[in-house]
Amino acid sequence: MLFSAFFVPLQFKKIVLMEMKRFCLAILMVMLSSVTYAQYVTNGDGTTYTLRSLSEIEESGVEYIYSPNSICPHIYHLQKNIVIDAGDKFVMEDDVRVEFFENVVLVIEGESDFKLTRGSTFIPYDDEKASGTSIRLNSESDVTFENCYFMTVGLEKMGDGALNVRNCHFTDHHGSSAAALYFMDSGAPSLIEGCYFANCQKAAIGSSANASQPMTIRSCTFSYNSAANNNVPQINITAANKLLIEENTVCGNPENNMVGGIGISNFFQFESDVEIRRCLIQDNRYGIGLVGPADNFYVSDCQLLNNKYESNAMNGGSGISLYDPYQKTSARLAGNMIEGNLWGVTIIGCKDVCLGKVDGDTEQERGGNTFKDNGNGGVLYDLYNNSTLTVYAQNNTWGVSSQTEEQIESVIFHQHDNASLGEVIFWPAANTAGIHNTEHKAENNEPYYNIYGVRRSTPVKGINIIHGKKVVR
């Protein structure tokens, strides 16, 4: 079979080349950051700057415009690069619009404060000359962005300080850098929470291949990113120690057949602890993809729906794909709804993978995954063990009409189908007595609840709860 015979090594070479391009791009951007363009550098004498105070310095290239008939009457033009020296501080003004000229970067090397109440917008001065515009942090200090709206302009982080981004919007990023929110270096643990990313040309959030940046991505919405339709997932980050992705929605554009949902890579084999939980990931080329080792990789209580928009099933389409040719990954999958993908779960390489073990010692080994309608070419594939591992996958509900050993065997590819592969131990399956495959109608307008306890007036795809019972739609 093509999938097991030669697709994996060929695809690995492609991915390695892609990652090396990311690495070279990161090095190039660091080099470019040292090139001297027309710029203004503050004195580093402990002064606190604002855009208003900079506009009063003629050589700064900051122009203030008052436009009383505009929705946002306070406008600043940034006409050349500005560097806030490490000895100084920058405080962002609230309720203003900042218009960046082409290739202009606001570089913060000192302290800064972007915590806003009403919100400010960062936007190109000319939409046709938007490339290269960004705010770049290169500081040892922690910084928080709140209620900031990045329209085409990007946010880049270097330096050792933590970056906390809350309730910010990133839309239509120009794609001159690898992501709308791009971590170019390793640093202190960072937080991205309650943010919205849409229609960005490349990834929404990215990190350099040679950087291991701990971060939490929580309660964010990702929609139609990697709009250029390159082989770049919407979240495209390198594995790190304490990497948490939780309670996010990652929706793809079915017309873009190269764009995955969440991609985690680790070609430099950093120590890593990765957890993805309670996320909705749908309509992408693939749902979650791991390439390279992860010491601990845990995916729980996620809904991975219709991640099938790949024109060739040999090149993608998995709900969850675990690919570790170094055989160092220890992965656990529990409580996930995996439906409508070309492949449910695919395992390539890895050290240890568990989808459920009835005598398991930890919550991570509880199983409880539900599979439905995963397949391609007229064949259902809930689990494809393309490795030599013995994989435990007990206590799950499989995409068959009756949870019998014979029927479950038909949706799992493993040693039973190819003697060179490892065995999947899938029996016993979950007790499905309380789960009904039905379009159950709520009585007396009683609401549905999803698996996270959110009230719904109508059922959603996946597991719903009505009258205290689980209902699979």
Side-chain angles (χ1 to χ4, degrees), residues 451-471:
I451 59 174
Y452 310 133
V454 177
R455 179 172 172 161
R456 305 281 189 181
S457 59
T458 57
V460 297
K461 275 191 173 293
I463 298 176
N464 299 265
I465 298 174
I466 180 69
H467 302 309
K469 296 180 178 180
K470 293 180 180 178
V471 176

Side-chain angles (χ1 to χ4, degrees), residues 83-379:
V83 179
I84 306 298
D85 188 88
D88 296 328
K89 181 176 181 178
F90 178 80
V91 177
M92 183 62 207
E93 296 171 46
D94 209 346
D95 200 20
V96 302
R97 188 170 79 216
V98 186
E99 298 183 353
F100 288 68
F101 280 40
E102 186 177 15
N103 290 319
V104 166
V105 179
L106 171 61
V107 180
I108 311 291
E109 294 183 347
E111 295 183 30
S112 58
D113 184 355
F114 285 82
K115 290 182 292 205
L116 308 178
T117 301
R118 295 182 298 277
S120 291
T121 300
F122 306 97
I123 190 170
Y125 172 75
D126 184 344
D127 288 341
E128 295 183 357
K129 297 180 178 180
S131 64
T133 55
S134 69
I135 297 175
R136 181 176 301 157
L137 308 171
N138 187 11
S139 175
E140 307 302 306
S141 301
D142 298 347
V143 58
T144 297
F145 282 72
E146 288 185 0
N147 300 312
C148 295
Y149 298 85
F150 291 84
M151 301 176 65
T152 306
V153 175
L155 176 59
E156 302 166 354
K157 179 191 176 296
M158 301 173 67
D160 291 334
L163 171 60
N164 299 310
V165 185
R166 298 189 183 96
N167 195 33
C168 293
H169 287 215
F170 297 79
T171 58
D172 304 301
H173 181 250
H174 49 64
S176 299
S177 57
L181 174 54
Y182 185 35
F183 291 83
M184 302 171 67
D185 202 353
S186 301
S190 296
L191 171 68
I192 304 99
E193 184 173 37
C195 295
Y196 176 74
F197 299 81
N199 300 311
C200 299
Q201 286 297 298
K202 293 183 181 176
I205 301 176
S207 63
S208 176
N210 64 324
S212 182
Q213 171 62 59
M215 70 177 85
T216 295
I217 305 172
R218 176 185 296 133
S219 302
C220 296
T221 298
F222 301 84
S223 180
Y224 285 28
N225 297 289
S226 198
N229 197 27
N230 296 317
N231 187 15
V232 178
Q234 297 197 55
I235 300 176
N236 187 28
I237 53 182
T238 297
N241 200 2
K242 300 303 179 186
L243 180 60
L244 174 61
I245 303 174
E246 65 176 353
E247 298 174 358
N248 303 288
T249 298
V250 186
C251 291
N253 181 354
E255 295 182 1
N256 290 344
N257 66 344
M258 294 294 291
V259 183
I262 299 175
I264 311 292
S265 61
N266 192 9
F267 285 94
F268 287 80
Q269 301 188 49
F270 297 110
E271 291 186 7
S272 58
D273 189 335
V274 180
E275 183 171 359
I276 303 173
R277 62 191 185 195
R278 298 191 297 276
C279 291
L280 170 62
I281 306 168
Q282 66 179 17
D283 295 335
N284 301 283
R285 175 191 172 198
Y286 58 84
I288 297 171
L290 170 68
V291 178
D295 301 299
N296 295 292
F297 191 81
Y298 181 37
V299 181
S300 65
D301 302 311
C302 291
Q303 296 188 61
L304 299 125
L305 311 177
N306 300 319
N307 296 290
K308 60 183 179 181
Y309 294 99
E310 163 61 64
S311 56
N312 182 351
M314 295 297 104
N315 291 339
S318 298
I320 301 174
S321 175
L322 305 173
Y323 182 25
D324 173 19
Y326 309 101
Q327 297 184 328
K328 295 182 178 181
T329 294
S330 179
R332 299 289 182 268
L333 312 179
N336 302 291
M337 178 69 193
I338 303 171
E339 177 182 346
N341 310 287
L342 299 184
W343 315 87
V345 174
T346 53
I347 302 168
I348 309 164
C350 299
K351 173 185 175 182
D352 176 33
V353 179
C354 179
L355 283 77
K357 197 171 185 180
V358 291
D359 58 352
D361 296 329
T362 68
E363 173 72 8
Q364 295 184 355
E365 295 179 336
R366 70 184 189 274
N369 301 289
T370 300
F371 297 85
K372 184 179 179 183
D373 298 333
N374 300 291
N376 64 85
V379 180

